[in-house]
PDB file of all heavy atoms in Angstrom:
ATOM      1  N   THR A 254     119.295 -46.251 112.384  1.00  0.00           N
ATOM      2  CA  THR A 254     119.880 -47.394 111.686  1.00  0.00           C
ATOM      3  C   THR A 254     120.982 -47.990 112.545  1.00  0.00           C
ATOM      4  O   THR A 254     121.729 -47.271 113.205  1.00  0.00           O
ATOM      5  CB  THR A 254     120.449 -46.972 110.323  1.00  0.00           C
ATOM      6  OG1 THR A 254     121.422 -45.928 110.513  1.00  0.00           O
ATOM      7  CG2 THR A 254     119.344 -46.462 109.413  1.00  0.00           C
ATOM      8  N   ARG A 255     121.102 -49.291 112.518  1.00  0.00           N
ATOM      9  CA  ARG A 255     122.041 -49.996 113.385  1.00  0.00           C
ATOM     10  C   ARG A 255     123.415 -50.092 112.725  1.00  0.00           C
ATOM     11  O   ARG A 255     123.537 -50.450 111.551  1.00  0.00           O
ATOM     12  CB  ARG A 255     121.511 -51.394 113.693  1.00  0.00           C
ATOM     13  CG  ARG A 255     122.385 -52.227 114.630  1.00  0.00           C
ATOM     14  CD  ARG A 255     121.755 -53.586 114.860  1.00  0.00           C
ATOM     15  NE  ARG A 255     122.598 -54.473 115.630  1.00  0.00           N
ATOM     16  CZ  ARG A 255     122.620 -54.552 116.954  1.00  0.00           C
ATOM     17  NH1 ARG A 255     121.818 -53.765 117.655  1.00  0.00           N
ATOM     18  NH2 ARG A 255     123.399 -55.407 117.581  1.00  0.00           N
ATOM     19  N   ASN A 256     124.432 -49.747 113.480  1.00  0.00           N
ATOM     20  CA  ASN A 256     125.806 -49.967 113.062  1.00  0.00           C
ATOM     21  C   ASN A 256     126.213 -51.352 113.571  1.00  0.00           C
ATOM     22  O   ASN A 256     126.379 -51.564 114.768  1.00  0.00           O
ATOM     23  CB  ASN A 256     126.729 -48.885 113.636  1.00  0.00           C
ATOM     24  CG  ASN A 256     128.161 -49.015 113.162  1.00  0.00           C
ATOM     25  OD1 ASN A 256     128.813 -50.014 113.402  1.00  0.00           O
ATOM     26  ND2 ASN A 256     128.654 -47.984 112.500  1.00  0.00           N
ATOM     27  N   GLU A 257     126.375 -52.269 112.642  1.00  0.00           N
ATOM     28  CA  GLU A 257     126.613 -53.659 113.027  1.00  0.00           C
ATOM     29  C   GLU A 257     127.994 -53.872 113.630  1.00  0.00           C
ATOM     30  O   GLU A 257     128.210 -54.854 114.345  1.00  0.00           O
ATOM     31  CB  GLU A 257     126.439 -54.568 111.803  1.00  0.00           C
ATOM     32  CG  GLU A 257     125.033 -54.577 111.234  1.00  0.00           C
ATOM     33  CD  GLU A 257     124.007 -55.079 112.250  1.00  0.00           C
ATOM     34  OE1 GLU A 257     124.395 -55.839 113.160  1.00  0.00           O
ATOM     35  OE2 GLU A 257     122.835 -54.695 112.129  1.00  0.00           O
ATOM     36  N   GLN A 258     128.916 -52.982 113.367  1.00  0.00           N
ATOM     37  CA  GLN A 258     130.258 -53.141 113.933  1.00  0.00           C
ATOM     38  C   GLN A 258     130.311 -52.654 115.371  1.00  0.00           C
ATOM     39  O   GLN A 258     130.867 -53.322 116.246  1.00  0.00           O
ATOM     40  CB  GLN A 258     131.286 -52.399 113.088  1.00  0.00           C
ATOM     41  CG  GLN A 258     132.710 -52.525 113.611  1.00  0.00           C
ATOM     42  CD  GLN A 258     133.715 -51.819 112.717  1.00  0.00           C
ATOM     43  OE1 GLN A 258     133.363 -51.326 111.648  1.00  0.00           O
ATOM     44  NE2 GLN A 258     134.959 -51.775 113.142  1.00  0.00           N
ATOM     45  N   GLN A 259     129.716 -51.487 115.635  1.00  0.00           N
ATOM     46  CA  GLN A 259     129.768 -50.905 116.970  1.00  0.00           C
ATOM     47  C   GLN A 259     128.526 -51.219 117.798  1.00  0.00           C
ATOM     48  O   GLN A 259     128.481 -50.895 118.991  1.00  0.00           O
ATOM     49  CB  GLN A 259     129.925 -49.391 116.872  1.00  0.00           C
ATOM     50  CG  GLN A 259     131.219 -48.941 116.205  1.00  0.00           C
ATOM     51  CD  GLN A 259     132.444 -49.370 116.972  1.00  0.00           C
ATOM     52  OE1 GLN A 259     132.997 -50.429 116.697  1.00  0.00           O
ATOM     53  NE2 GLN A 259     132.860 -48.580 117.938  1.00  0.00           N
ATOM     54  N   LEU A 260     127.491 -51.767 117.162  1.00  0.00           N
ATOM     55  CA  LEU A 260     126.278 -52.200 117.861  1.00  0.00           C
ATOM     56  C   LEU A 260     125.511 -51.048 118.492  1.00  0.00           C
ATOM     57  O   LEU A 260     124.860 -51.224 119.520  1.00  0.00           O
ATOM     58  CB  LEU A 260     126.619 -53.252 118.928  1.00  0.00           C
ATOM     59  CG  LEU A 260     127.349 -54.506 118.426  1.00  0.00           C
ATOM     60  CD1 LEU A 260     127.599 -55.464 119.578  1.00  0.00           C
ATOM     61  CD2 LEU A 260     126.586 -55.175 117.303  1.00  0.00           C
ATOM     62  N   PHE A 261     125.581 -49.851 117.899  1.00  0.00           N
ATOM     63  CA  PHE A 261     124.712 -48.765 118.343  1.00  0.00           C
ATOM     64  C   PHE A 261     123.863 -48.301 117.156  1.00  0.00           C
ATOM     65  O   PHE A 261     124.077 -48.713 116.016  1.00  0.00           O
ATOM     66  CB  PHE A 261     125.490 -47.604 118.960  1.00  0.00           C
ATOM     67  CG  PHE A 261     126.585 -47.041 118.103  1.00  0.00           C
ATOM     68  CD1 PHE A 261     126.325 -46.457 116.867  1.00  0.00           C
ATOM     69  CD2 PHE A 261     127.912 -47.057 118.538  1.00  0.00           C
ATOM     70  CE1 PHE A 261     127.324 -45.913 116.081  1.00  0.00           C
ATOM     71  CE2 PHE A 261     128.929 -46.522 117.753  1.00  0.00           C
ATOM     72  CZ  PHE A 261     128.627 -45.955 116.527  1.00  0.00           C
ATOM     73  N   TYR A 262     122.890 -47.446 117.458  1.00  0.00           N
ATOM     74  CA  TYR A 262     122.002 -46.903 116.435  1.00  0.00           C
ATOM     75  C   TYR A 262     122.402 -45.457 116.141  1.00  0.00           C
ATOM     76  O   TYR A 262     122.876 -44.735 117.024  1.00  0.00           O
ATOM     77  CB  TYR A 262     120.544 -46.956 116.887  1.00  0.00           C
ATOM     78  CG  TYR A 262     119.951 -48.345 116.874  1.00  0.00           C
ATOM     79  CD1 TYR A 262     120.075 -49.191 117.977  1.00  0.00           C
ATOM     80  CD2 TYR A 262     119.255 -48.817 115.759  1.00  0.00           C
ATOM     81  CE1 TYR A 262     119.528 -50.466 117.969  1.00  0.00           C
ATOM     82  CE2 TYR A 262     118.704 -50.082 115.750  1.00  0.00           C
ATOM     83  CZ  TYR A 262     118.849 -50.914 116.850  1.00  0.00           C
ATOM     84  OH  TYR A 262     118.312 -52.168 116.836  1.00  0.00           O
ATOM     85  N   VAL A 263     122.159 -45.038 114.900  1.00  0.00           N
ATOM     86  CA  VAL A 263     122.455 -43.675 114.467  1.00  0.00           C
ATOM     87  C   VAL A 263     121.194 -43.076 113.853  1.00  0.00           C
ATOM     88  O   VAL A 263     120.585 -43.678 112.961  1.00  0.00           O
ATOM     89  CB  VAL A 263     123.605 -43.625 113.446  1.00  0.00           C
ATOM     90  CG1 VAL A 263     123.871 -42.184 113.012  1.00  0.00           C
ATOM     91  CG2 VAL A 263     124.868 -44.244 114.021  1.00  0.00           C
ATOM     92  N   SER A 264     120.811 -41.910 114.343  1.00  0.00           N
ATOM     93  CA  SER A 264     119.683 -41.171 113.790  1.00  0.00           C
ATOM     94  C   SER A 264     120.192 -39.852 113.221  1.00  0.00           C
ATOM     95  O   SER A 264     120.889 -39.106 113.913  1.00  0.00           O
ATOM     96  CB  SER A 264     118.624 -40.908 114.870  1.00  0.00           C
ATOM     97  OG  SER A 264     117.599 -40.066 114.383  1.00  0.00           O
ATOM     98  N   GLN A 265     119.836 -39.589 111.971  1.00  0.00           N
ATOM     99  CA  GLN A 265     120.253 -38.350 111.292  1.00  0.00           C
ATOM    100  C   GLN A 265     118.997 -37.544 110.962  1.00  0.00           C
ATOM    101  O   GLN A 265     118.401 -37.722 109.903  1.00  0.00           O
ATOM    102  CB  GLN A 265     121.036 -38.695 110.030  1.00  0.00           C
ATOM    103  CG  GLN A 265     121.551 -37.499 109.248  1.00  0.00           C
ATOM    104  CD  GLN A 265     122.335 -37.923 108.023  1.00  0.00           C
ATOM    105  OE1 GLN A 265     123.322 -38.650 108.114  1.00  0.00           O
ATOM    106  NE2 GLN A 265     121.897 -37.481 106.848  1.00  0.00           N
ATOM    107  N   PRO A 266     118.569 -36.639 111.855  1.00  0.00           N
ATOM    108  CA  PRO A 266     117.308 -35.911 111.620  1.00  0.00           C
ATOM    109  C   PRO A 266     117.321 -35.041 110.378  1.00  0.00           C
ATOM    110  O   PRO A 266     116.275 -34.815 109.764  1.00  0.00           O
ATOM    111  CB  PRO A 266     117.157 -35.062 112.890  1.00  0.00           C
ATOM    112  CG  PRO A 266     117.998 -35.740 113.926  1.00  0.00           C
ATOM    113  CD  PRO A 266     119.147 -36.325 113.170  1.00  0.00           C
ATOM    114  N   GLY A 267     118.480 -34.524 109.988  1.00  0.00           N
ATOM    115  CA  GLY A 267     118.542 -33.636 108.832  1.00  0.00           C
ATOM    116  C   GLY A 267     118.092 -32.230 109.184  1.00  0.00           C
ATOM    117  O   GLY A 267     117.720 -31.930 110.316  1.00  0.00           O
ATOM    118  N   SER A 268     118.125 -31.351 108.200  1.00  0.00           N
ATOM    119  CA  SER A 268     117.777 -29.955 108.426  1.00  0.00           C
ATOM    120  C   SER A 268     116.265 -29.778 108.365  1.00  0.00           C
ATOM    121  O   SER A 268     115.542 -30.606 107.815  1.00  0.00           O
ATOM    122  CB  SER A 268     118.445 -29.061 107.388  1.00  0.00           C
ATOM    123  OG  SER A 268     117.922 -29.334 106.097  1.00  0.00           O
ATOM    124  N   SER A 269     115.800 -28.674 108.922  1.00  0.00           N
ATOM    125  CA  SER A 269     114.379 -28.341 108.886  1.00  0.00           C
ATOM    126  C   SER A 269     114.067 -27.322 107.803  1.00  0.00           C
ATOM    127  O   SER A 269     112.911 -26.934 107.635  1.00  0.00           O
ATOM    128  CB  SER A 269     113.933 -27.797 110.249  1.00  0.00           C
ATOM    129  OG  SER A 269     114.648 -26.627 110.585  1.00  0.00           O
ATOM    130  N   VAL A 270     115.070 -26.890 107.060  1.00  0.00           N
ATOM    131  CA  VAL A 270     114.885 -25.924 105.978  1.00  0.00           C
ATOM    132  C   VAL A 270     115.862 -26.268 104.859  1.00  0.00           C
ATOM    133  O   VAL A 270     116.958 -26.781 105.102  1.00  0.00           O
ATOM    134  CB  VAL A 270     115.115 -24.476 106.479  1.00  0.00           C
ATOM    135  CG1 VAL A 270     116.556 -24.291 106.936  1.00  0.00           C
ATOM    136  CG2 VAL A 270     114.755 -23.456 105.409  1.00  0.00           C
ATOM    137  N   VAL A 271     115.452 -26.023 103.627  1.00  0.00           N
ATOM    138  CA  VAL A 271     116.311 -26.291 102.469  1.00  0.00           C
ATOM    139  C   VAL A 271     117.322 -25.159 102.333  1.00  0.00           C
ATOM    140  O   VAL A 271     116.954 -24.001 102.146  1.00  0.00           O
ATOM    141  CB  VAL A 271     115.470 -26.410 101.184  1.00  0.00           C
ATOM    142  CG1 VAL A 271     116.379 -26.607  99.975  1.00  0.00           C
ATOM    143  CG2 VAL A 271     114.479 -27.561 101.290  1.00  0.00           C
ATOM    144  N   THR A 272     118.594 -25.495 102.447  1.00  0.00           N
ATOM    145  CA  THR A 272     119.648 -24.488 102.309  1.00  0.00           C
ATOM    146  C   THR A 272     120.508 -24.702 101.064  1.00  0.00           C
ATOM    147  O   THR A 272     121.334 -23.856 100.748  1.00  0.00           O
ATOM    148  CB  THR A 272     120.569 -24.484 103.540  1.00  0.00           C
ATOM    149  OG1 THR A 272     121.186 -25.771 103.679  1.00  0.00           O
ATOM    150  CG2 THR A 272     119.774 -24.160 104.800  1.00  0.00           C
ATOM    151  N   SER A 273     120.340 -25.815 100.381  1.00  0.00           N
ATOM    152  CA  SER A 273     121.069 -26.055  99.132  1.00  0.00           C
ATOM    153  C   SER A 273     120.166 -26.858  98.207  1.00  0.00           C
ATOM    154  O   SER A 273     119.469 -27.775  98.642  1.00  0.00           O
ATOM    155  CB  SER A 273     122.380 -26.811  99.381  1.00  0.00           C
ATOM    156  OG  SER A 273     122.123 -28.089  99.918  1.00  0.00           O
ATOM    157  N   LEU A 274     120.180 -26.518  96.931  1.00  0.00           N
ATOM    158  CA  LEU A 274     119.297 -27.162  95.951  1.00  0.00           C
ATOM    159  C   LEU A 274     119.964 -28.432  95.438  1.00  0.00           C
ATOM    160  O   LEU A 274     120.395 -28.525  94.294  1.00  0.00           O
ATOM    161  CB  LEU A 274     118.988 -26.192  94.815  1.00  0.00           C
ATOM    162  CG  LEU A 274     118.323 -24.876  95.240  1.00  0.00           C
ATOM    163  CD1 LEU A 274     118.101 -23.974  94.034  1.00  0.00           C
ATOM    164  CD2 LEU A 274     117.020 -25.141  95.967  1.00  0.00           C
ATOM    165  N   SER A 275     120.042 -29.442  96.315  1.00  0.00           N
ATOM    166  CA  SER A 275     120.682 -30.714  96.001  1.00  0.00           C
ATOM    167  C   SER A 275     119.697 -31.850  96.293  1.00  0.00           C
ATOM    168  O   SER A 275     118.711 -31.660  97.012  1.00  0.00           O
ATOM    169  CB  SER A 275     121.961 -30.881  96.827  1.00  0.00           C
ATOM    170  OG  SER A 275     121.676 -30.770  98.195  1.00  0.00           O
ATOM    171  N   PRO A 276     119.912 -33.036  95.753  1.00  0.00           N
ATOM    172  CA  PRO A 276     118.931 -34.121  95.892  1.00  0.00           C
ATOM    173  C   PRO A 276     118.605 -34.486  97.336  1.00  0.00           C
ATOM    174  O   PRO A 276     117.454 -34.798  97.657  1.00  0.00           O
ATOM    175  CB  PRO A 276     119.611 -35.289  95.164  1.00  0.00           C
ATOM    176  CG  PRO A 276     120.517 -34.654  94.175  1.00  0.00           C
ATOM    177  CD  PRO A 276     121.013 -33.399  94.834  1.00  0.00           C
ATOM    178  N   GLY A 277     119.598 -34.460  98.225  1.00  0.00           N
ATOM    179  CA  GLY A 277     119.333 -34.836  99.610  1.00  0.00           C
ATOM    180  C   GLY A 277     118.339 -33.931 100.304  1.00  0.00           C
ATOM    181  O   GLY A 277     117.599 -34.361 101.197  1.00  0.00           O
ATOM    182  N   GLU A 278     118.301 -32.666  99.897  1.00  0.00           N
ATOM    183  CA  GLU A 278     117.379 -31.711 100.516  1.00  0.00           C
ATOM    184  C   GLU A 278     115.940 -31.910 100.047  1.00  0.00           C
ATOM    185  O   GLU A 278     115.017 -31.358 100.639  1.00  0.00           O
ATOM    186  CB  GLU A 278     117.822 -30.281 100.194  1.00  0.00           C
ATOM    187  CG  GLU A 278     119.165 -29.876 100.767  1.00  0.00           C
ATOM    188  CD  GLU A 278     119.051 -29.282 102.153  1.00  0.00           C
ATOM    189  OE1 GLU A 278     118.054 -29.567 102.837  1.00  0.00           O
ATOM    190  OE2 GLU A 278     119.960 -28.517 102.536  1.00  0.00           O
ATOM    191  N   ALA A 279     115.730 -32.649  98.963  1.00  0.00           N
ATOM    192  CA  ALA A 279     114.385 -32.849  98.434  1.00  0.00           C
ATOM    193  C   ALA A 279     113.591 -33.879  99.239  1.00  0.00           C
ATOM    194  O   ALA A 279     112.375 -33.996  99.062  1.00  0.00           O
ATOM    195  CB  ALA A 279     114.460 -33.280  96.972  1.00  0.00           C
TER     196      ALA A 279
END
Side-chain angles (χ1 to χ4, degrees):
T254 57
R255 182 180 174 88
N256 184 299
E257 296 299 335
Q258 180 178 354
Q259 297 297 93
L260 303 181
F261 54 62
Y262 287 87
V263 179
S264 173
Q265 181 179 302
S268 66
S269 60
V270 64
V271 177
T272 60
S273 63
L274 302 178
S275 56
E278 296 271 23

